[in-house]
Amino acid sequence: MTAPSANQDFPPPKILTHPSTSPPTLITQGAEGRLYKTTHLLPTLPCALKYRPPKPYRHPALDARLTRARISAEAKVLERCWREGVPVPAVYAMDAARGWLAMEWIEGVPVRVGINNFLGEGEETQTKGEGELVDLMKRIGEAVGKLHRTGVVHGDLTTSNMMLRPRSGTQVNGESEATGRDDRVKVLEGEVVLIDFGLATQSMSDEDRAVDLYVLERAFASTHPRAERLFGAILDEYKTTFKKAPSVLAKLEDVRMRGRKRSMLG
């Protein structure tokens, strides 16, 4: 996760005002919540804290109930994924009543940024380094396959909600694995970690899984049109990782057809 300029125009939750907490940085703000970077327990352990502030336009009792339910649901999904080996942030702590969830801080850059930096502006990208780009597609497919195999659908699968976490300590013949490699290719390296599970649900439905893939496919086409032709590599690795993928991909064709009909009808 990378931090833009700090914006402290909004009061943070009380947990972030505790003397033992490092000064928080507001990373992003959405309609439902805010994401801060801080520390957990130790000043050397970075932490992402998601906070859902009270909504003045809702009845207080309803707002409190919704906040508790959503924070609890997100924490349960993350914990289930973590136990099953899905690459997601670890949950450190939460207070559903006060509307916050503390998670592992994922170093690195969003997959969206890595792909766009790699593509750049030159046509040589169409051939040079394409193998590394295909390898990234496979890592994405594997991560999504593990997620669906666990019985969770993300709800907002985009390359902005995936991080490229640098691999640590990998050496070959005493040198870093990336030593001497094209700097443009290095932006594609790292483990794909899925983030932002605010819309995630636990589901075993092929329809829900297919919609998850369709959202990713459409987001990929709009965000990375020059690499859209490689999207099939994501689905190929998804099939390798998730044994029930054939029925999901068959349902994906139905979802695509409905999407095309909606586009034609406006």
Side-chain angles (χ1 to χ4, degrees):
M1 300 177 183
T2 54
S5 299
N7 183 346
Q8 296 295 359
D9 294 338
F10 309 98
K14 289 185 178 180
I15 184 66
L16 293 181
T17 63
H18 194 279
S20 65
T21 303
S22 297
T25 300
L26 179 61
I27 301 302
T28 185
Q29 165 150 340
E32 288 293 319
R34 305 168 194 158
L35 182 70
Y36 294 88
K37 182 178 182 181
T38 181
T39 56
H40 179 67
L41 298 180
L42 299 172
T44 55
L45 182 61
C47 163
L49 188 136
K50 187 171 187 177
Y51 174 52
R52 289 180 176 269
K55 306 298 187 296
Y57 54 83
R58 288 191 190 131
H59 187 281
L62 173 62
D63 183 56
R65 187 164 63 249
L66 288 174
T67 296
R68 283 197 303 270
R70 289 171 179 173
I71 289 290
S72 297
E74 185 170 357
K76 287 178 182 177
V77 163
L78 284 170
E79 289 169 347
R80 178 172 181 173
C81 289
W82 178 260
R83 288 196 306 269
E84 297 297 326
V86 182
V88 300
V91 173
Y92 289 159
M94 77 164 183
D95 188 331
R98 290 181 171 84
W100 60 262
L101 173 65
M103 300 166 284
E104 176 186 9
W105 177 264
I106 305 299
E107 295 291 349
V109 299
V111 169
R112 171 184 55 80
V113 173
I115 294 176
N116 286 340
N117 286 346
F118 170 79
L119 291 174
E121 298 179 358
E123 290 299 322
E124 65 173 353
T125 303
Q126 298 299 319
T127 55
K128 187 178 180 181
E130 185 170 293
E132 284 79 4
L133 185 54
V134 170
D135 182 66
L136 174 57
M137 300 298 103
K138 291 180 178 179
R139 277 176 277 147
I140 293 172
E142 180 182 12
V144 177
K146 287 180 177 179
L147 178 72
H148 286 180
R149 187 176 66 195
T150 302
V152 172
V153 293
H154 187 278
D156 190 20
L157 272 181
T158 69
T159 52
S160 294
N161 287 334
M162 303 175 184
M163 297 293 293
L164 280 171
R165 175 164 56 190
R167 295 189 179 96
S168 59
T170 303
Q171 295 192 343
V172 178
N173 296 327
E175 294 186 342
S176 170
E177 188 178 19
T179 299
R181 300 188 68 180
D182 189 322
D183 286 341
R184 190 170 59 84
V185 171
K186 290 179 184 178
V187 300
L188 301 179
E189 295 177 347
E191 178 190 15
V192 172
V193 180
L194 306 176
I195 62 170
D196 198 352
F197 280 73
L199 297 177
T201 57
Q202 299 187 44
S203 173
M204 304 295 286
S205 163
D206 287 345
E207 171 81 12
D208 292 343
R209 289 163 171 159
V211 170
D212 230 13
L213 291 175
Y214 182 70
V215 169
L216 177 59
E217 185 176 49
R218 300 312 304 155
F220 198 90
S222 62
T223 309
H224 314 291
R226 292 171 58 198
E228 183 181 5
R229 60 196 173 84
L230 302 178
F231 188 82
I234 293 178
L235 300 182
D236 288 343
E237 194 64 25
Y238 178 81
K239 286 188 289 186
T240 300
T241 306
F242 182 37
K243 67 179 182 179
K244 294 183 179 180
S247 59
V248 176
L249 295 181
K251 184 64 70 173
L252 176 59
E253 288 298 327
D254 295 339
V255 175
R256 284 169 173 161
M257 184 64 68
R258 295 200 300 268
R260 284 194 289 268
K261 288 181 178 179
R262 282 195 296 268
S263 297
M264 291 173 64
L265 294 173

